Amino acid sequence: MAFLTLFQALLILSLAASTLSTRPYKNGLTPYFYDYVCPQALPAIKRVVEGAVQQERRMGASLLRLHFHDCFVNGCDGSILLDSTATIESEKFAAPNNNSARGFEVIDQIKAEVDRVCGHPVVSCADILAVTARDSVVALGGPSWKVRLGRRDSTTASRTTANNDIPAPNMDLPALINNFKRQGLKVKDLVALSGAHTIGFAQCFTFRNRTFNDSNINQAFAKNLRSYCPRTGSDSNLASLDPTPARFDTLYYNNLLTQKGLLHSDQALSTGESALELVKSYSHDYEAFWKDFAKSMVRMGNIKPLTGNQGQIRSNCRRLN
């Protein structure tokens, strides 16, 4: 009888601990949101992401960028995915996204597969972007983290806000700090999240001015960039953001210490004491970078989510129900 009583007590404690671990955070998000509704959802997302990245390594960076550009425009609500209509000015045509943001067809594939395995539209497009960002980083050798889930999709988009709030490649450090501060993010988040530029490419028009006019740039590096990004034309020519654009490592930060940051906004991280100390730390300590990057991705994913009865769960990520 005593054993049974002890067993019952342990069972009660175990259930209590389980309840606490799955309880939503204050903003209504929890990593376990789909555990009972559709446990097949996250594995389905991972399969499609891995396939897309295997087919084109650059796609990992593109999918990560979609989540970033979504969250900085009125919160992580999937608004970046909406096409233009009579009432919606698509964010896809905002200056930071136009002829630049990509991976929408992969999101469409993920949405179709998730809805198939779940039996109906239960996973929001906003959550798909958040999970896809994590799985893209992992697919390129980076860290993993528990994505908080339960976002709902917006019923609006704002091209104007996208133009104003997505950080620009020509920003200096004070402007970047203020930009992130408006989103509730700190200097550590700025430096850690900028490490996303350890993967992917940028178009010539985003770094041309730096190669010809900045003083804090390695001259041999600048000369090489100017060879395929001249003063005029070739706007869409690509350059890698660090020497290993398909591997999530710390070479991005090493580049900043030798004045080889591709974008003006990248190199700006080396111009302030607190930011520079983080750059130095991350350049030789990948574990510190990975840990802080994961934490900052969670914080960014918490920006003004729609939950409960707000918004909707879109059947098609490109248009409203």
Side-chain angles (χ1 to χ4, degrees):
M1 192 61 141
F3 171 77
L4 184 59
T5 303
L6 177 60
F7 175 79
Q8 289 174 326
L10 290 173
L11 181 61
I12 291 169
L13 287 172
S14 176
L15 290 171
S18 176
T19 301
L20 287 171
S21 69
T22 59
R23 185 175 295 169
Y25 295 90
K26 287 183 179 180
N27 60 9
L29 304 182
T30 169
Y32 313 100
F33 190 83
Y34 298 108
D35 281 10
Y36 300 105
V37 181
C38 182
Q40 306 95 328
L42 269 59
I45 295 174
K46 184 179 180 181
R47 284 196 304 273
V48 179
V49 170
E50 288 177 343
V53 173
Q54 185 175 14
Q55 184 175 349
E56 184 196 2
R57 302 289 283 176
R58 180 186 169 202
M59 186 55 69
S62 299
L63 295 171
L64 173 59
R65 186 168 180 253
L66 281 181
H67 180 47
F68 187 104
H69 283 207
D70 182 44
C71 289
F72 266 62
V73 183
N74 295 324
C76 310
D77 59 6
S79 60
I80 193 173
L81 303 174
L82 288 171
D83 288 338
S84 291
T85 67
T87 58
I88 291 176
E89 285 196 337
S90 176
E91 294 166 17
K92 295 176 182 179
F93 298 105
N97 297 326
N98 192 30
N99 295 319
S100 173
R102 57 197 299 274
F104 298 108
E105 71 286 350
V106 177
I107 299 300
D108 291 340
Q109 293 169 20
I110 293 171
K111 177 63 172 171
E113 178 62 11
V114 169
D115 286 357
R116 185 188 70 80
V117 300
C118 294
H120 62 287
V122 66
V123 180
S124 68
C125 301
D127 274 350
I128 286 174
L129 285 175
V131 176
T132 296
R134 189 268 312 276
D135 291 349
S136 295
V137 169
V138 173
L140 293 175
S144 184
W145 59 92
K146 288 186 176 181
V147 180
R148 297 181 186 179
L149 302 165
R151 301 170 189 80
R152 289 172 64 84
D153 297 321
S154 71
T155 55
T156 61
S158 177
R159 190 180 305 171
T160 299
T161 306
N163 281 322
N164 292 335
D165 287 3
I166 295 174
N170 61 349
M171 281 184 170
D172 59 17
L173 186 59
L176 288 167
I177 290 173
N178 286 333
N179 179 280
F180 274 63
K181 185 177 180 180
R182 289 198 301 271
Q183 303 293 349
L185 300 172
K186 301 179 180 179
V187 172
K188 178 178 280 191
D189 300 308
L190 164 63
V191 180
L193 291 173
S194 294
H197 286 178
T198 188
I199 53 177
F201 296 81
Q203 296 185 58
C204 165
F205 76 90
T206 65
F207 59 84
R208 174 185 285 120
N209 189 63
R210 168 160 167 72
T211 63
F212 284 98
N213 298 315
D214 282 8
S215 59
N216 61 343
I217 187 169
N218 178 285
Q219 289 306 303
F221 177 67
K223 183 179 180 180
N224 179 57
L225 290 174
R226 290 194 292 265
S227 68
Y228 52 91
C229 184
R231 287 188 182 275
T232 58
S234 305
D235 283 3
S236 60
N237 282 1
L238 297 175
S240 60
L241 286 157
D242 89 346
T244 54
R247 188 167 70 238
F248 200 93
D249 53 28
T250 61
L251 292 186
Y252 167 78
Y253 297 107
N254 284 275
N255 265 14
L256 300 186
L257 296 177
T258 55
Q259 297 190 329
K260 293 179 182 178
L262 181 63
L263 306 179
H264 179 89
S265 55
D266 289 328
Q267 197 60 53
L269 300 182
S270 69
T271 62
E273 185 176 350
S274 59
L276 179 57
E277 286 305 309
L278 287 166
V279 169
K280 290 178 179 178
S281 172
Y282 297 157
S283 71
H284 63 78
D285 188 347
Y286 80 89
E287 289 184 348
F289 167 46
W290 282 17
K291 180 181 177 182
D292 288 349
F293 180 82
K295 287 182 177 179
S296 292
M297 285 296 293
V298 171
R299 277 194 282 270
M300 185 181 75
N302 287 338
I303 298 175
K304 295 185 286 189
L306 301 176
T307 58
N309 294 321
Q310 298 173 310
Q312 60 181 219
I313 305 297
R314 291 185 214 137
S315 299
N316 183 323
C317 290
R318 294 175 181 259
R319 59 176 181 262
L320 302 182
N321 295 344

